[in-house]
């Protein structure tokens, strides 16, 4: 059987004539941090002080001993790197093993019978990119960094939410594999299902030693008790298993996620040579792109069911990705599932994530939309990049295809749109820029290797050059004009077929800011706050968004912090509620973004320290199977029941016309039924509809514990009463760290928010924004409050106040 030895220990990093202890997996930054030689780039403006690290070459060394002689030594020894970041020169005992230039590939070198000093030298990513640019010529991008010339995580070079921390190192595991006769080089499991009968076709590629050439070998495999066997004297074989009575894998919220173990063993005369094990799931996924009266659709059809996608965009969870553990992946994806999301889009400026990411998605029922790694730039198609792109695509398609959660391959992020709209066409005349990848190479690779999955050329993409790449009536659409230039109510202006990016910014939690900006007197424009705001004109856009709805809280950082988080939550909810109300014309939304890679003001719902913003709680509401919303209609608000569940929703909707002073003006109830996976929409009765432009009336709709509000005017024009409320703090059981905060309202209390990190840095709350009518009460459960008192809780409570 193949022997595997992980090369985790024993590495040294050369620095200023000294050897530092190094960890693998890791990178230069993590090793320098561990040695105390650089400050934490996440704190203050330290990012600027560590910029030099990315502009130097770095060398790792360790001793590689010869294998001990045994009674039956293996014929072959391979040195395997799962990830080298990025331009590396590898030598063993002074002799070159090879050179690499792609972070997104693995590399294997024959080291049979060899020993000595193993040396891995990484050139500066800037130098590698400059050399490639010299060969291919200049290409445009959206940032002044050369990420399109090197197959490296693009956001290492900074983004409008991330720092410029240009890494180098062995960021994924390194090992020695010793084997004889043959090994399993590649397995492609093609998984299909018809009715309740599943089929698994394992396409297996072998590598043989010289002594193993032509030797008859046997492969055995089993799935759910079904077995198959194949024999070959060559390098390829196929095993087919027909599995009866399979249970279907569904996205979360639509069914269960049964997974099946696949085990493959390669044998020589009954002796095991190698093994391969994965988990698979049986499901069908199609993208319906049929033309209709509205344009060209983009609807996910899972196991024959058309679904409204409730998605989020994912970026690398750390700018130093070697630090992301399986436990961290699971925590972040559990938070994503808790927001009622059912799809995660892995964005094209990051990485193909670790298998632990996709394993968690399989188990949690989170569909994965996987971008190929191209974002916001024109990419040369000449060598040396073209060969690297193809090798990278082939390896990662095969690596990820066992996962049932993977539902779509996507060619790029915004590059087709950029070519048309970002003044690229004229300067690129006659030059390659990536189109050959997105419309040629990549769809061919997917069709050849993974024909069970859909491919889209880009996001956004209308399906062909016959339409503008970001045409809302065709295919996928990115909505960024609203954040950049408009009020979030402009989301109501159109109904795209599928919104694969949109979002609104807010700062992270206060405890996150205090950790990241120690000692700083916080203000929207304080030095650290500005440094941790990477978006162009970001603070001005935050201010404009706030001022359209609230009076600016001049000089009151806590109030600014609260209101910007309220605006973020309301903005995203406004878009989702509108687009869900227009199902099936609009077939999905993917919020930008669920997570952060460091502490920063951004579009995320979970901040860089893993704390939940109010947006996360709001996503849980608007992405729930059943949504009650009030939408603009012809003569006033419409009552909308959006039901994504598989069962009809019959409910009584209570509608109340209220005055700002708490007086009930009118009340009525509607008994309504929204069939499964449909939307029911009807005008609110006139007797409960506020007068247009009224500053003293509002409509409240309630059903099954859900609530929706309609105010005829922006908040800053509404005649809000001064909020009056009482709070009581109750200990839960014997746990001195868990409390119920009971809030009783004597007036209208709009968007009540308890910020738990203000109570204790690691505290969490089970509720986000809550609106209470006079006389109502709510409970907010807080965990990790460390014995806090009532005054501490009161200081952590915020709500909308009169202008």
């Amino acid at each position: 059987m193949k022997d595997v030895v992980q090369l985790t220990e024993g590495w040294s990093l050369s620095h200023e004539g000294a050897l530092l202890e190094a960890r693998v997996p890791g990178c230069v930054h993590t090793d320098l941090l561990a040695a105390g030689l650089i400050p934490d780039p996440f704190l203050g403006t330290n990012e600027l002080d560590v910029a030099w690290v990315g502009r130097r070459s770095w060398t790792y060394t360790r001793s590689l001993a010869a294998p001990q002689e045994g009674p039956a030594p293996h014929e072959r020894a391979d040195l395997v790197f799962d990830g080298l970041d990025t331009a590396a020169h590898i030598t063993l005992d002074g002799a070159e093993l090879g050179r690499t230039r792609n972070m997104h590939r693995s590399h294997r070198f024959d080291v049979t019978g060899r020993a000595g000093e193993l040396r891995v030298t990484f050139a500066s990513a800037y130098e590698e990119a400059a050399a490639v640019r010299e060969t291919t010529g200049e290409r445009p991008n959206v940032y002044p960094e050369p990420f399109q010339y090197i197959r490296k995580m693009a956001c290492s070079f900074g983004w409008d939410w991330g720092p410029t921390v240009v890494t180098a190192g062995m960021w994924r595991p390194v090992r020695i594999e010793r084997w004889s006769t043959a090994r399993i080089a590649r397995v492609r499991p093609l998984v299909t299902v018809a009715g309740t009968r599943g089929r698994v076709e394992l396409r297996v590629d072998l590598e043989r030693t010289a002594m193993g050439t032509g030797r008859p070998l046997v492969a055995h495999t089993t799935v759910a008790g079904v077995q198959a066997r194949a024999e070959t004297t060559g390098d390829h074989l196929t095993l087919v298993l027909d599995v009866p009575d399979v249970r279907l894998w569904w996205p979360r919220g639509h069914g269960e996620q049964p997974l099946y173990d696949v085990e493959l063993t390669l044998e020589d005369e009954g002796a095991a040579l190698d093994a391969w094990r994965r988990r698979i799931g049986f499901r069908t996924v199609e993208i319906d792109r049929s033309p209709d009266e509205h344009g060209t659709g983009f609807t996910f059809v899972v196991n024959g069911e058309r679904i409204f996608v409730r998605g989020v965009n994912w970026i690398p969870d750390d700018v130093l990705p070697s630090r992301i553990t399986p436990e961290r992946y699971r925590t972040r994806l559990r938070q994503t599932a808790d927001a009622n999301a059912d799809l995660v889009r892995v964005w094209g400026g990051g990485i193909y994530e670790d298998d632990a990411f996709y394993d968690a998605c399989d188990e949690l029922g989170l569909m994965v939309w996987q971008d190929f790694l191209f974002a916001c730039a024109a990419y040369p198609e000449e060598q040396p990049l073209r060969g690297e792109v193809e090798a990278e695509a082939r390896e990662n398609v095969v690596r990820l295809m066992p996962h049932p959660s993977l539902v779509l391959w996507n060619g790029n992020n915004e590059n087709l749109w950029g070519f048309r709209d970002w003044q690229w066409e004229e300067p690129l005349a006659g030059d390659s820029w990536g189109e050959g990848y997105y419309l040629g190479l990549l769809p061919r690779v997917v069709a050849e290797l993974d024909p069970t999955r859909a491919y889209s050329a880009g996001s956004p993409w209308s399906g062909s050059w016959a339409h503008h790449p970001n045409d809302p009536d065709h295919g996928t659409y990115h909505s960024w004009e609203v954040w950049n230039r408009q009020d979030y109510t402009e989301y109501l202006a159109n109904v795209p077929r599928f919104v694969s990016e949109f979002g609104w910014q807010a700062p992270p939690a206060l405890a996150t800011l205090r950790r990241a900006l120690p000692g700083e007197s916080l203000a929207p424009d304080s030095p650290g706050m500005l440094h941790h705001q990477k978006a162009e004109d970001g603070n001005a856009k935050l201010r404009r968004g706030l001022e359209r709805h609230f009076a600016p809280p001049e000089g009151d950082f806590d109030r600014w912090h609260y209101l910007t988080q309220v605006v973020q939550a309301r903005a995203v909810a406004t878009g989702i509620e509108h687009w869900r109300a227009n199902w099936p014309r609009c077939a999905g939304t993917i919020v930008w973004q669920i997570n952060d890679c460091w502490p920063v003001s951004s579009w995320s719902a979970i901040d860089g320290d893993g704390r939940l913003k109010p947006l996360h709680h709001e996503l849980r509401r608007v992405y729930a199977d059943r949504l009650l919303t009030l939408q603009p209609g012809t003569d006033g608000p419409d009552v909308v029941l959006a039901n994504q569940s598989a069962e009809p929703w019959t409910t009584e909707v209570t509608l109340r016309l209220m005055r700002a002073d708490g007086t009930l003006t009118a009340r009525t109830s509607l008994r309504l039924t929204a069939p499964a996976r449909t939307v029911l929409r009807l005008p609110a009765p006139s007797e409960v509809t506020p007068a247009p432009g009224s500053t003293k009336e509002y409509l409240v709709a309630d059903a099954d514990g859900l609530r929706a509000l309609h105010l005829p005017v922006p908040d800053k024009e509404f005649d809000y009463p001064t909020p009056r409320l009482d709070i009581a703090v109750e200990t839960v059981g014997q746990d001195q760290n868990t409390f119920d905060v009971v809030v009783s309202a004597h007036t209208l209390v709009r968007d009540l928010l308890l910020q738990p990190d203000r109570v204790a840095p690691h505290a969490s709350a089970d509720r986000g924004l809550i609106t209470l009518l006079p006389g109502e009460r709510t409970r907010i459960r807080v965990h990790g409050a460390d014995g806090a008192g009532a005054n501490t809780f009161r200081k952590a409570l915020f709500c909308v106040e009169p202008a």
Side-chain angles (χ1 to χ4, degrees), residues 99-240:
R99 296 175 182 267
T100 72
R101 60 198 324 156
N102 193 328
M103 178 181 182
H104 309 302
R105 292 179 57 191
S106 63
H107 296 86
R108 178 180 292 265
F109 303 100
D110 183 351
V111 293
T112 306
R114 301 175 63 177
E117 183 186 63
L118 176 61
R119 178 178 290 262
V120 184
T121 299
F122 293 92
S124 162
Y126 287 101
E127 292 180 4
E128 167 70 8
V132 172
R133 179 166 48 194
E134 185 71 22
T135 299
T136 64
E138 193 80 24
R139 300 293 192 282
N141 73 11
V142 297
Y143 298 109
E145 295 279 341
F147 60 84
Q148 72 268 47
Y149 305 105
I150 182 170
R151 296 310 299 158
K152 175 177 175 57
M153 184 173 85
C155 62
S156 289
F157 293 94
W159 220 260
D160 57 2
W161 36 257
T164 301
V165 180
V166 181
T167 51
M170 290 165 278
W171 73 292
R172 281 183 167 159
V174 182
R175 63 187 178 275
I176 292 288
E177 292 186 1
R178 297 187 175 97
W179 53 282
S180 298
T181 306
R183 71 177 185 90
I184 298 170
R186 187 174 78 165
V187 181
R188 292 193 298 119
L190 300 176
V191 182
T192 55
V193 61
T196 61
R197 192 169 190 84
R199 169 166 283 203
V200 182
E201 296 183 27
L202 296 181
R203 309 287 178 87
V204 184
D205 297 336
L206 306 178
E207 182 182 6
R208 294 174 180 259
T209 65
M211 294 178 63
T213 301
R215 190 174 180 87
L217 302 176
V218 175
H220 296 275
T221 187
T222 178
V223 178
V226 177
Q227 298 182 0
R229 177 184 184 278
E231 184 174 331
T232 183
T233 57
D235 296 334
H236 312 281
L237 54 85
T238 300
L239 300 99
V240 180

Side-chain angles (χ1 to χ4, degrees), residues 140-142 375-379 414-429 433:
N141 73 11
V142 297
C376 300
Y379 284 79
E414 298 190 343
N415 296 344
L416 295 161
W417 179 22
F419 179 75
R420 180 56 50 87
D421 272 5
W422 299 348
Q423 289 79 52
W424 290 1
E425 285 193 72
E426 185 174 338
L428 283 171
W433 55 273

Side-chain angles (χ1 to χ4, degrees), residues 30 50 58 118 132 171 234 237-238 304 326 366 383 385 405 412 451-452 459 487 509 545 560 575 747 758 771 787:
T30 56
V50 303
W58 297 92
L118 176 61
V132 172
W171 73 292
L237 54 85
T238 300
L366 292 168
Q383 298 293 9
L385 291 178
S405 57
N412 74 89
T452 65
S459 182
D487 180 46
W560 175 88
T747 62
R758 291 176 181 266
T771 293

Side-chain angles (χ1 to χ4, degrees), residues 1-5 64-68 74-78 176-180 273:
M1 191 68 169
K2 178 173 68 178
D3 292 330
V4 178
V5 178
L64 192 64
Q68 294 182 352
H74 281 297
E75 301 169 46
R76 174 82 172 263
D78 289 346
I176 292 288
E177 292 186 1
R178 297 187 175 97
W179 53 282
S180 298
L273 299 174

Side-chain angles (χ1 to χ4, degrees), residues 413-713:
N413 176 76
E414 298 190 343
N415 296 344
L416 295 161
W417 179 22
F419 179 75
R420 180 56 50 87
D421 272 5
W422 299 348
Q423 289 79 52
W424 290 1
E425 285 193 72
E426 185 174 338
L428 283 171
D431 289 335
S432 67
W433 55 273
E435 182 183 28
Y437 295 147
Y438 320 134
L439 299 179
L441 173 64
L442 296 175
R444 286 198 301 270
V445 168
V446 172
E448 174 194 342
L449 298 177
D450 191 13
T452 65
R453 285 187 175 84
Y455 172 85
S456 179
S459 182
W461 181 233
S462 60
S464 78
W465 287 115
H467 307 288
H468 187 280
N470 200 32
D471 187 331
D473 293 329
H474 299 275
T476 54
Y477 178 70
H478 288 193
S479 178
W480 284 116
E481 281 298 298
V482 172
W483 156 253
N484 284 321
R485 295 171 182 84
Q486 300 170 340
D487 180 46
Y488 64 73
T489 57
E490 291 300 314
Y491 285 134
L492 307 176
N494 64 11
V495 183
R497 307 313 303 270
F498 192 104
V499 188
S500 47
E501 277 191 23
F502 77 107
W504 203 274
Q505 268 203 0
L510 184 67
T512 299
L513 288 172
R514 285 176 172 160
R515 186 192 70 81
L517 305 175
E520 179 160 317
S521 179
L522 295 175
D525 59 354
S526 60
M529 286 293 294
L530 290 177
H531 187 77
H532 288 247
Q533 165 60 276
K534 296 294 186 179
E536 182 181 1
D537 203 28
N539 268 17
K541 292 172 184 176
L542 282 174
R543 183 180 179 90
R544 288 198 298 270
L546 189 156
E547 287 178 341
R548 286 168 173 140
H549 297 270
F550 300 101
E554 302 297 345
D556 187 342
F557 179 80
D558 288 344
R559 193 86 195 145
W560 175 88
H561 182 269
Y562 160 73
L563 289 175
T564 51
Q565 291 201 328
V566 168
V567 171
Q568 180 191 36
R570 285 201 197 173
V572 172
T574 296
I576 293 174
E577 291 186 30
H578 166 62
W579 293 319
R580 278 194 71 175
N582 282 280
W583 160 262
R585 180 175 175 179
C586 179
T589 57
I590 309 182
V591 176
W592 188 272
Q593 65 215 61
I594 188 65
N595 62 326
D596 271 324
C597 64
W598 77 314
V600 63
S601 292
S602 83
W603 299 265
S604 72
I606 306 167
D607 77 15
D609 281 6
R611 295 185 175 92
L612 306 183
K613 295 182 184 179
L615 173 59
H616 183 277
H617 296 280
E618 197 69 354
L619 286 176
R620 189 170 61 189
R621 178 183 71 84
V622 296
Y623 270 169
D625 288 349
R626 294 172 173 177
L627 172 68
L628 169 68
T629 179
L630 295 168
Q631 292 293 306
T634 304
D635 297 313
D638 286 350
V639 179
V640 179
L641 298 181
N643 180 22
Q644 269 292 306
S645 72
E647 303 296 331
W649 180 18
T650 298
T651 187
E652 184 171 292
V653 180
T654 300
L655 298 166
R656 284 176 283 181
L657 178 61
M658 302 288 298
R659 293 188 61 81
D661 63 5
T663 306
L664 174 65
T665 301
R667 174 183 178 135
T668 189
S669 294
L670 304 174
R671 189 71 176 173
L672 302 174
T673 297
R677 298 190 174 96
T678 63
V679 172
L680 177 68
R681 183 170 188 154
L682 70 164
S686 59
E687 64 267 27
V688 292
T689 298
S694 173
T695 63
K696 297 181 181 298
E697 293 180 314
Y698 62 99
L699 172 62
V700 183
D702 291 288
D704 291 345
L706 307 178
R707 170 165 285 176
L709 266 74
H710 165 74
L711 273 66
V713 295

Side-chain angles (χ1 to χ4, degrees), residues 737-767:
N737 289 327
T738 302
F739 298 88
D740 278 352
V741 180
V742 183
V743 181
S744 302
H746 300 289
T747 62
L748 170 65
V749 176
R750 182 79 189 277
D751 284 338
L752 176 73
L753 177 67
L754 190 150
Q755 294 188 344
D757 60 291
R758 291 176 181 266
V759 177
H762 300 292
S764 62
D766 68 344
R767 305 286 299 275

